[in-house]
Amino acid sequence: MMKQMQPVRGTSDLIPEEKARQNHVISTALNVAERYGFRDMATPIFEFTEVFSRPLGASSDVVSKETYTFEDRGGTSLTLRPEGTAAAMRAVISNGLTQALPHRWFYAGPMFRYERPQKGRMRQFHQFGCELIGPHSALADAEIIGCGAQILEELGVLDKCVLHLNSLGDTQSRQNFREALITYFSRFSDDLSEDSRRRLETNPLRILDSKDDGDRALLDDAPRLPDYLSDEARRHFDGVTAALDAASIGWTHDPLLVRGLDYYAHTAFEFVTDALGAQGTVLGGGRYDGLSETLGGPVLPAVGFAAGVERLALLIEQLHLPGSDIAVLAADETAEAASFGIAQSLRHAGLSAVQLMSGAMGKKMKQAHKMGCRFVVILGADELARDVAIVKDMQTGTQSDIARALLSDAITQMMKGTISE
RNA sequence: GCGGGUGUAGCUCAGUUGGUUAGAGCGCCAGUUUGUGGUACUGGAAGUCGCCGGUUCAAUUCCGGUCACUCGCCCCA
């Protein structure tokens, strides 16, 4: 097969079954989010490169090696969005919405990261997310987490996930802790793994969740983040956990949970599953009070989460694709045109009908059966002459002649009379 | 970006210690059933054995490279 006949590495087609699964994930998410007052919105798929490079931190992996960045014909550097939050915040500022707070936004769409593909990790993948922009209250954090939890619950995957929760503290707390970590690990720099020596330069907090055994051994005596939280940061975290407890949302404190992106502060959380190998995070987020200022906006506290549509789709059970209720078939060629007329009238009456157009009649019946159609409408020369059509109930096997003019009404009645699942 | 595994029919996989016509199940098509679906039986189509190169009288099999997928690391949804 020609190389060009394959999709680009890390991308894939969403053939109907997979697309249906993703649609189900996204529509369930939006449905829940709307009950929390979130409103669907969208930003462009590419932005000026600075929209992502400034807030995410130029040294972060996402920006330094994972973005699709290119110059357009005018020489402007543009970047395909690697995540949704920075663009959403940019949209708040661009649209002059920094006064009319709060905003409760929901978004869903493709994201792009140039990474080595794995199961649950694609170069073009899809996320949905919620951003609650304006409140600094711990209740906002709780609402975001609660919304995420309820989405997972209604998707039927919450019991496969564990909520990991941590506080990164405010900017000052985080800064103090960071320096303490650097001081501590610098003494053992020879014992650290190669990765962690690099992290010491770029993102010391990351050493905390290193999987290297040697690194882990050093963690026992390492500074602990909770010890560096300011009183205010601690109060905020307590406020979040108290709210979660009051709503019976289970969580575990994970002092090693660190989010990669620079703009996070205070609450960080991840819903993690062990069913997806190394890509266990299915929905994650936190508070990003510093983001707006990084983008040149005013001080604007905000919390949000993003969830991976592919990862969730992998977790949910097999979905049955809704097919058509009715199959229409012509028993012979003379009835073909009229059968199209019947199909059209059924569709105009609000029913779902497909025409079966190839093969002998037995073949068409087989198709109707395989497609799971509830009724088959059969029209042949004989029926045509009598101005009727046969309606066969595929569940009971019974069939009867119905006047063609009454078909839609009759089938509508028959469908009402049965309990459809 | 780093390390391991895999790549044979539409799908799931056998197999070939290098040797003529590469197999199974499922699926698909046709028939038994010339105006009627679930089962059964019968027959059929379908593979450049991922791609390129090397070794060899001979490569789907061995070797190298490459591409794709996959597992782990990194990072993250």
Side-chain angles (χ1 to χ4, degrees), chain A residues 325 351 373-375 392-396 398 410-421:
Chain A
D325 300 317
L351 297 164
C373 294
R374 180 66 214 285
F375 298 100
K392 174 159 184 169
D393 183 325
M394 294 295 272
Q395 283 174 15
T396 63
T398 57
I411 293 179
T412 303
Q413 282 308 315
M414 291 166 83
M415 291 188 62
K416 267 190 206 153
T418 59
I419 302 138
S420 62
E421 27 109 36

Side-chain angles (χ1 to χ4, degrees), chain A residues 8 14 36 53 80 105 123 143 184 200 213 216 242 398:
Chain A
V8 173
L14 300 179
Y36 286 74
S53 63
L80 262 36
W105 284 357
R123 288 184 173 178
E143 282 223 348
Y184 173 78
L200 198 51
D213 288 339
R216 286 183 173 255
T398 57

